[in-house]
Amino acid sequence: MKNRDNIWLNLDWITVFIYLALVLLGWINIYAAVYDEEHQNILDISQRYGKQLIWIVAGIFIAIMVLLIDSKFYAAFAYHFYGLILLLLVGVLFFGKEVNGARSWFEIGGVGLQPAELGKFATNLAIAKYISQFNFKMEQVKSYLVLGALIAVPALVIIMQNDTGSALVYAVFILVFYREGLNGMVLFWGFAAAVLFVLALVLNPFMLLLFLVVISIIAFGVVRQSIKEVIRGLIIVGILFGLAIGANLIFHLGGSNFHMLLVATIISIVTMIIYGLKNHIRQVIFVLLFFFFSVGITMSVNYFYQNTLAEHQRARIDELLGISSDPLGAGYNVNQSKIAIGSGGLLGKGFLKGTQTKYNFVPEQSTDFIFCTVGEEWGFVGSTVIIGLFVFLFIRIINLAERQRSRFSRVYGYGVAGILFFHFAVNISMTIGLAPVIGIPLPFFSYGGSSLWAFTILLFIFLRLDASRGENLR
């Protein structure tokens, strides 16, 4: 009994209490979001708030089971969990139920189970297991390939289910890799790709190419630590572009400004290669790689955008970026959400007094848009309290991760923090119009047993590892 007693003595009860507070507040706000005067009893299991209470009780039971299992079990069977979840992810493509255009749910006795949610903790375990190997070195090409595959395989299967939002969560593991020694340049290239993706959507071809040329010239000046290189490069491209425009007018070639800039760019690249070889300037290689990488990303955006994202997802992104405006269609949810949150003011309208909530102006208000209810009924103060609880949870998890003696536990802990933060940041950003609506829940808050159980397992495995941090898990 001594070891079992130590579990409860060493358990981080502060994190447990934050978890319980968020779950309780989520339940209350789900009640407010779908409140029905004909079903006022919060325990009515025919309503969503009654069902959520069942999910919460089951979630607490799952949490206790997770804590009672030996901590070494999670490291020993990490790959087994990963393989099992992959089978479920593939199986749902054939035997799953389609919900909101995504075939990502199993229907079991009237209860929906979404393997994509469980895939997060399983992938986190597999990553922690691989990184904690004795001979692991992040800088090896093999490490990049294996870790990339561990992320990409479940993410691609989830994309095949038409659930791109859930697949995007897996990108957060890159931050975990950075904590464990990933070269910062990888983050740079990833950030650059994200920026280029957006620019490729909002800029016309001429402006996009001009941006890439100018930013490449500036990058060359930065790595060379010379402002003269920047000025010289801009002048050369400007002259070549002017000459191309002049030739186009004189000889009536009929080319557009884009084509003339493209000619000037090609000549500039050839000139840069010759200049670099002649003067043995290695930085030229970096700049050219950056430029061609940027061109490759921008050229592939249209294919990815049209063939990977669903029509409603493209419409939401277009609405967010200002490419199109459809306040009664793709932009309806976000517009109503912002109205609801803004109407709450400083202190809110009061519990069960939200007009946007009561009259169902905001779709999915108990799931993806649950934060609207908080903003409308509890106002700025209530919203700040909820956000503060989440931030405190993230800080607490990171502090716990840093005190781990085993690399497995530390890596897993950072994965927990990253996954929860991604959901939190994107979900709230969706409700206030700072991110496209991609359909991911607010952890511990949104209605649904599948997501609540998955987040509970994710968090409490880490708390179990932390409670046994004195043991050698590697």
Side-chain angles (χ1 to χ4, degrees):
M1 292 295 293
K2 183 177 180 180
N3 290 335
R4 179 168 294 183
D5 291 340
N6 285 338
I7 295 173
W8 309 111
L9 290 174
N10 296 328
L11 186 63
D12 187 69
W13 287 101
I14 293 177
T15 303
V16 174
F17 288 138
I18 297 173
Y19 162 82
L20 292 174
L22 289 172
V23 168
L24 177 61
L25 289 169
W27 179 43
I28 292 173
N29 280 279
I30 290 170
Y31 176 68
V34 296
Y35 175 72
D36 185 350
E37 292 183 355
E38 296 182 1
H39 301 273
Q40 297 185 21
N41 186 356
I42 196 172
L43 303 179
D44 187 347
I45 61 173
S46 68
Q47 302 300 305
R48 284 196 166 189
Y49 35 85
K51 294 177 181 177
Q52 185 69 8
L53 178 60
I54 296 176
W55 310 148
I56 291 172
V57 172
I60 293 174
F61 175 77
I62 291 172
I64 294 173
M65 292 298 99
V66 169
L67 293 174
L68 291 177
I69 296 174
D70 192 309
S71 59
K72 293 180 180 179
F73 171 83
Y74 299 109
F77 289 89
Y79 294 144
H80 298 79
F81 279 119
Y82 183 77
L84 176 61
I85 295 301
L86 280 184
L87 289 176
L88 291 176
L89 287 172
V90 173
V92 81
L93 289 171
F94 301 97
F95 308 107
K97 177 182 178 182
E98 187 171 317
V99 178
N100 295 328
R103 186 176 294 277
S104 56
W105 294 82
F106 283 119
E107 188 77 28
I108 304 173
V111 178
L113 179 65
Q114 189 176 16
E117 294 291 346
L118 299 175
K120 297 163 192 175
F121 91 83
T123 303
N124 198 16
L125 283 173
I127 288 172
K129 177 71 172 180
Y130 183 75
I131 292 179
S132 63
Q133 292 181 126
F134 178 75
N135 59 347
F136 174 83
K137 293 182 180 179
M138 181 63 77
E139 63 273 13
Q140 292 179 338
V141 175
K142 176 187 175 183
S143 298
Y144 289 154
L145 294 176
V146 174
L147 291 174
L150 287 174
I151 296 175
V153 172
L156 290 174
V157 176
I158 292 171
I159 289 175
M160 292 172 64
Q161 299 170 5
N162 200 22
D163 189 9
T164 308
S166 295
L168 289 175
V169 179
Y170 288 78
V172 80
F173 287 112
I174 295 176
L175 298 178
V176 180
F177 302 160
Y178 180 70
R179 167 61 182 82
E180 297 302 317
L182 181 68
N183 192 313
M185 288 303 297
V186 176
L187 289 182
F188 167 78
W189 291 112
F191 178 75
V195 172
L196 290 170
F197 181 90
V198 175
L199 291 177
L201 294 177
V202 300
L203 297 179
N204 61 53
F206 173 79
M207 292 302 299
L208 182 60
L209 179 59
L210 179 62
F211 172 81
L212 296 180
V213 170
V214 172
I215 203 69
S216 297
I217 293 172
I218 293 174
F220 184 64
V222 170
V223 296
R224 290 281 291 168
Q225 298 182 346
S226 172
I227 188 65
K228 292 182 179 179
E229 297 285 5
V230 177
I231 297 174
R232 183 185 304 167
L234 292 175
I235 291 174
I236 291 174
V237 173
I239 292 174
L240 291 173
F241 179 57
L243 291 174
I245 291 289
N248 186 48
L249 292 174
I250 293 172
F251 298 105
H252 306 287
L253 300 176
S256 66
N257 287 341
F258 171 76
H259 293 115
M260 297 305 102
L261 181 59
L262 182 61
V263 170
T265 302
I266 294 173
I267 297 174
S268 298
I269 291 172
V270 174
T271 304
M272 177 175 280
I273 293 174
I274 296 173
Y275 175 68
L277 292 174
K278 183 178 179 180
N279 297 280
H280 305 287
I281 302 175
R282 296 181 178 178
Q283 291 91 336
V284 169
I285 299 176
F286 167 78
V287 175
L288 290 177
L289 284 174
F290 174 76
F291 178 78
F292 289 123
F293 167 81
S294 302
V295 171
I297 290 294
T298 54
M299 290 180 65
S300 63
V301 164
N302 185 64
Y303 176 83
F304 173 83
Y305 195 63
Q306 297 297 330
N307 295 279
T308 303
L309 300 180
E311 183 178 353
H312 69 278
Q313 292 172 326
R314 295 196 300 271
R316 289 167 178 173
I317 294 175
D318 289 345
E319 180 78 21
L320 175 69
L321 298 177
I323 299 173
S324 63
S325 179
D326 186 12
L328 298 180
Y332 180 79
N333 285 30
V334 175
N335 288 334
Q336 294 300 322
S337 172
K338 290 191 288 187
I339 291 172
I341 294 174
S343 67
L346 180 63
L347 298 176
K349 298 176 181 177
F351 185 55
L352 301 180
K353 295 181 180 179
T355 54
Q356 295 292 112
T357 297
K358 183 178 294 184
Y359 297 109
N360 298 317
F361 283 108
V362 184
E364 307 298 335
Q365 194 159 338
S366 64
T367 54
D368 297 342
F369 285 84
I370 186 67
F371 193 74
C372 296
T373 306
V374 178
E376 184 178 20
E377 298 195 350
W378 304 105
F380 176 79
V381 173
S383 300
T384 301
V385 170
I386 299 301
I387 292 174
L389 276 174
F390 274 107
V391 172
F392 185 35
L393 175 65
F394 304 144
I395 294 174
R396 187 67 184 173
I397 293 173
I398 291 173
N399 286 337
L400 294 181
E402 283 297 333
R403 78 180 185 182
Q404 301 306 305
R405 297 181 180 181
S406 78
R407 196 175 193 182
F408 176 86
S409 300
R410 183 180 69 239
V411 172
Y412 183 84
Y414 268 94
V416 173
I419 292 169
L420 293 179
F421 176 77
F422 183 91
H423 274 266
F424 161 80
V426 173
N427 181 277
I428 292 182
S429 295
M430 288 190 319
T431 62
I432 58 178
L434 294 181
V437 180
I438 59 175
I440 61 174
L442 185 61
F444 313 121
F445 236 81
S446 295
Y447 169 79
S450 188
S451 62
L452 175 62
W453 295 342
F455 287 128
T456 298
I457 294 171
L458 176 75
L459 177 62
F460 277 83
I461 286 178
F462 178 58
L463 292 180
R464 181 62 181 90
L465 295 174
D466 176 69
S468 302
R469 60 187 177 277
E471 299 177 12
N472 182 23
L473 296 174
R474 281 211 53 78

